[in-house]
């Protein structure tokens, strides 16, 4: 019998001889795939065993008529190795990248960047709000401290002294036509610039006159406290003058004298809390001193005692030169309410019941 041939069928020159080299290149990752045409016998070639062994795994087909497309899966094998051997933070991130895919991985990275940016913006807003709140608190605290300091110090233009009396039974003591001073009222007489006044108003009076002089409106005292006896003498002298010069009856002369001079004990001069200022032209209402007093006298506790528009309430004719001390608080309220003393005392009586 003829001996079987020991020769192995040789591959045809249709590209099968390139299979080992191409397979090596595919395994090394240098190429994604190669295409070569081989014959059907290549499956039995010694060097084709690599391709034949890989064919079931890689899905390689080898026919004489079709080309061989060797698809290299080196990257996938590397990914599988990384999935198996990855460790630590870097390994976990690499596994996530492989499992999620490029598109999902990019989205996740963008989300992380967006979170970082939003966190930074939130921190900046929080810092801005905190800084604004601190600045507002600081300004409010500074304003409160300034108000406390101003409250602790008296205004430069107002009178403040420990000697100022807060006794409204004295400050608001009324004397006028048909309203004599209360029984037992006593004046603490003291002389200032040749005029007698109650010593309780002296500090305020001195301060007011000093500030008026500093403002270019020096004040000169013309009259202060007048006792009841002397006031009665002045009243009788005025009645006689009216009877003689104007030929009035006794009753009419006395009524008119009462509205201009006043009977003893029924005029504000007997309180010792009012003064009259002198004017060079005898019309004090037209002087700069009067205008200064109308603006500033309440800051020292003084008010005009007999405003011309309040004659019906006071019972006396208007007198621009006479100012009465009532205390700073009462003076300010009288100005705000546009009241004379008679109106203000009546108002307090009704308010306090």
């Amino acid at each position: 019998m003829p001996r079987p041939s020991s020769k192995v069928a040789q591959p045809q020159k249709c590209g099968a001889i390139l299979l080992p080299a191409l397979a090596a290149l595919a395994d090394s990752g240098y190429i994604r795939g190669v295409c070569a045409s081989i014959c059907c016998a290549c499956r039995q070639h010694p060097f084709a065993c690599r391709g034949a062994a890989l064919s079931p795994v890689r899905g390689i087909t080898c026919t004489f008529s079709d080309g061989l497309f060797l698809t290299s899966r080196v990257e996938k094998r590397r990914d599988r190795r990384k999935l198996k051997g990855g460790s630590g933070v870097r390994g976990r991130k690499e596994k996530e990248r492989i499992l999620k895919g490029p598109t999902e991985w990019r989205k996740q990275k963008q989300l992380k960047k967006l979170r970082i940016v939003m966190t930074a913006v939130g921190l900046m807003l929080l810092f801005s709000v905190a800084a604004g709140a601190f600045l507002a608190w600081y300004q409010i605290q500074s304003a409160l401290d300034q108000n406390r300091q101003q409250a602790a110090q008296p205004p430069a233009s107002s009178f403040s002294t420990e000697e100022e009396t807060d006794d409204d039974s004295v400050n608001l003591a009324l004397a006028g036509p048909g309203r004599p001073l209360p029984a037992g009222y006593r004046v603490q007489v003291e002389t200032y610039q040749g005029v007698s006044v109650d010593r309780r108003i002296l500090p305020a009076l001195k301060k007011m006159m000093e500030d008026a002089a500093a403002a270019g409106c020096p004040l000169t005292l013309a009259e202060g406290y007048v006792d009841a006896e002397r006031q009665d003498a002045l009243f009788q002298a005025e009645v006689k003058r009216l009877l003689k010069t104007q030929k009035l009856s006794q009753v009419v002369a006395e009524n008119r004298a009462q509205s201009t001079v006043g009977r003893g004990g029924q005029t504000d001069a007997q309180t010792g809390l009012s003064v009259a200022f002198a004017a060079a032209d005898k019309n004090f209402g037209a002087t700069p001193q009067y205008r200064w007093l109308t603006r500033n006298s309440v800051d020292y506790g003084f008010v005009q005692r007999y405003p011309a528009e309040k004659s019906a309430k006071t019972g006396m004719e208007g007198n621009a030169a006479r100012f009465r001390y009532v205390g700073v608080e009462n003076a300010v309220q009288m100005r705000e309410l546009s009241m004379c003393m008679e109106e203000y005392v009546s108002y307090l009586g009704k308010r306090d019941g």
Side-chain angles (χ1 to χ4, degrees):
M1 291 178 60
R3 296 179 61 185
S5 177
S6 61
K7 291 183 179 183
V8 180
Q10 299 293 324
Q12 297 183 9
K13 295 181 180 180
C14 59
I17 59 175
L18 298 176
L19 180 60
L22 294 174
L25 288 174
D27 290 341
S28 63
Y30 286 106
I31 60 174
R32 295 285 298 180
V34 296
C35 181
S37 64
I38 60 175
C39 65
C40 295
C42 69
R43 294 182 183 276
Q44 300 177 357
H45 193 276
F47 296 102
C49 63
R50 189 179 190 84
L54 294 175
S55 294
V57 177
R58 301 180 184 177
I60 299 176
T61 59
C62 181
T63 62
F64 181 76
S65 60
D66 296 330
L68 174 65
F69 184 77
L70 300 176
T71 304
S72 175
R73 306 261 178 107
V74 175
E75 293 184 358
K76 293 186 177 181
R77 285 202 298 274
R78 287 179 180 174
D79 293 343
R80 286 195 293 271
R81 294 192 194 103
K82 290 177 181 178
L83 287 172
K84 292 179 181 179
S87 61
V89 177
R90 186 174 180 181
R92 288 196 299 271
K93 290 184 177 180
E94 191 66 23
K95 288 179 182 180
E96 292 177 1
R97 185 185 67 80
I98 294 169
L99 292 173
K100 294 180 178 178
T103 303
E104 189 175 353
W105 178 256
R106 282 195 297 271
K107 289 182 179 178
Q108 187 174 5
K109 288 183 68 177
Q110 291 174 355
L111 287 174
K112 288 182 178 179
K113 291 180 180 178
L114 183 60
R115 290 192 194 100
I116 293 173
V117 172
M118 292 180 68
T119 303
V121 171
L123 290 174
M124 292 177 64
L125 289 175
L126 183 62
F127 176 78
S128 300
V129 171
F134 174 77
L135 181 60
W137 173 85
Y138 180 78
Q139 291 178 345
I140 292 172
Q141 197 67 22
S142 300
L144 290 175
D145 292 341
Q146 186 176 3
N147 289 339
R148 293 191 194 100
Q149 292 177 358
Q150 290 179 353
Q153 298 177 356
S157 61
S158 64
F159 167 71
S160 177
T161 178
E162 295 179 355
E163 296 186 38
E164 181 185 10
T165 179
D166 293 326
D167 187 0
D168 282 347
S169 64
V170 175
N171 293 342
L172 299 179
L174 276 177
R179 188 194 293 263
L181 277 172
Y185 182 87
R186 297 290 182 271
V187 179
Q188 302 175 19
V189 180
E190 190 166 335
T191 302
Y192 177 64
Q193 292 189 359
V195 174
S196 298
V197 295
D198 193 305
R199 70 173 184 84
R200 288 169 288 194
I201 74 167
L202 196 55
L205 180 62
K206 286 181 178 180
K207 178 63 176 173
M208 183 173 69
M209 295 183 68
E210 290 171 0
D211 290 349
C217 301
L219 298 170
T220 303
L221 291 175
E223 185 181 74
Y225 167 70
V226 179
D227 58 44
E229 291 75 12
R230 184 166 182 270
Q231 186 66 39
D232 264 332
L234 293 173
F235 173 76
Q236 294 299 333
E238 179 65 12
V239 170
K240 290 180 179 179
R241 187 187 72 81
L242 292 173
L243 290 171
K244 182 178 181 179
T245 59
Q246 299 188 19
K247 307 297 182 180
L248 300 176
S249 66
Q250 184 72 26
V251 174
V252 174
E254 288 182 356
N255 289 337
R256 185 169 296 183
Q258 176 62 41
S259 65
T260 56
V261 178
R263 297 177 185 272
Q266 297 185 26
T267 66
D268 206 70
Q270 274 76 76
T271 64
L273 304 177
S274 66
V275 293
F277 296 101
D281 58 359
K282 296 184 180 180
N283 184 10
F284 188 75
T287 62
Q289 286 82 354
Y290 173 75
R291 290 191 290 272
W292 187 91
L293 285 171
T294 56
R295 290 192 303 268
N296 302 288
S297 63
V298 295
D299 295 332
Y300 306 90
F302 285 87
V303 295
Q304 187 177 349
R305 180 61 183 93
Y306 300 121
E309 67 275 12
K310 299 291 184 178
S311 295
K313 299 293 183 180
T314 63
M316 301 287 288
E317 291 184 1
N319 187 344
R322 184 165 289 275
F323 281 77
R324 162 68 187 266
Y325 180 81
V326 293
V328 176
E329 183 179 353
N330 292 324
V332 171
Q333 289 188 10
M334 287 174 65
R335 170 180 282 181
E336 292 175 353
L337 297 172
S338 298
M339 291 181 175
C340 64
M341 275 197 67
E342 282 75 10
E343 291 175 311
Y344 184 66
V345 171
S346 176
Y347 161 77
L348 291 181
K350 294 177 181 179
R351 186 192 68 178
D352 300 337

